[in-house]
Amino acid sequence: MTAHTNCPLCQSDGGLVLFRNAFLRVIDAQEADYPAFTRVILNRHVQEMSDLNQAERGGLMSAVYLVEALQRRHFQPDKINLAQLGNMVPHVHWHIIARFTDDKHFPNPIWGAPREAANAPDGEHEAARRNAHIRQRVPAYHEDITQSFTALLAETTDPVPEQTRFEQTLHRIING
Ligand SMILES: [Zn+2]
């Protein structure tokens, strides 16, 4: 594994680590406006998804979908945004962001313009109320991330979770 000295995701965890194995880590992004914001980060320095082999791509996306399902379970968001940009940090990482129609930027990407006050006169207040509600649920969500990832991936060096168990886990999380 080559760690790049000028890459923040090679030099640090990039946030609070909720799960880590040899292949990837799941972190709390620690974004004030989006308390449920989670990232899945490949441990080694790779710039593009197409630099990975098929199993690695599958394993990474399974992790993204597991986080997505857990956000659905804990927050019932209006939408979940999955994003892989890497313009600032060209080291493969996925953003998983629970979105609500009353959050700070909806319907724009969280990196876009905030909602216009004219369109949402009570916007700031709504977003603050929304975040207070989410923050109460974050500890249980984080605990569930750690437990769910550990159950699926801790005992294997394979980047891909066992298919049947993974599908059963997703189904159970989404359907209760
Ligand atoms: Zn890197």
Side-chain angles (χ1 to χ4, degrees):
M1 189 189 302
T2 307
H4 289 217
T5 51
N6 58 352
C7 171
L9 293 182
C10 287
Q11 296 303 317
S12 76
D13 293 332
L16 174 69
V17 176
L18 304 170
F19 174 81
R20 184 204 307 269
N21 66 6
F23 177 59
L24 57 76
R25 59 190 183 269
V26 183
I27 63 137
D28 173 15
Q30 299 175 311
E31 290 275 348
D33 289 329
Y34 293 92
F37 190 161
T38 304
R39 292 195 184 99
V40 171
I41 302 171
L42 190 74
N43 287 337
R44 76 177 194 272
H45 189 93
V46 163
Q47 180 162 321
E48 306 293 351
M49 287 294 287
S50 47
D51 290 326
L52 301 176
N53 68 37
Q54 187 176 16
E56 292 170 330
R57 283 193 296 273
L60 196 64
M61 294 320 294
S62 295
V64 170
Y65 300 138
L66 185 56
V67 172
E68 177 187 289
L70 290 165
Q71 289 191 351
R72 291 175 68 180
R73 170 190 267 175
H74 288 272
F75 305 109
Q76 296 87 45
D78 296 309
K79 186 68 187 78
I80 293 174
N81 290 170
L82 304 180
Q84 203 272 116
L85 304 171
N87 298 340
M88 302 296 287
V89 181
H91 172 137
V92 164
H93 61 283
W94 281 85
H95 307 280
I96 304 100
I97 315 151
R99 300 298 308 275
F100 299 88
T101 55
D102 55 3
D103 73 32
K104 188 173 178 180
H105 298 84
F106 203 91
N108 295 327
I110 65 160
W111 301 280
R115 287 193 292 162
E116 286 181 35
N119 296 336
D122 200 21
E124 282 291 320
H125 192 61
E126 271 184 358
R129 221 169 27 229
R130 160 68 59 198
N131 278 343
H133 179 78
I134 292 173
R135 277 194 198 93
Q136 289 180 343
R137 287 159 175 73
V138 162
Y141 164 65
H142 285 171
E143 196 177 312
D144 208 353
I145 286 180
T146 302
Q147 286 179 358
S148 298
F149 273 85
T150 300
L152 278 171
L153 286 169
E155 289 171 16
T156 175
T157 52
D158 195 326
V160 190
E162 196 278 312
Q163 186 72 24
T164 306
R165 275 184 68 204
F166 178 70
E167 291 300 327
Q168 285 170 347
T169 300
L170 267 195
H171 187 269
R172 194 173 63 245
I173 290 170
I174 293 166
N175 298 304

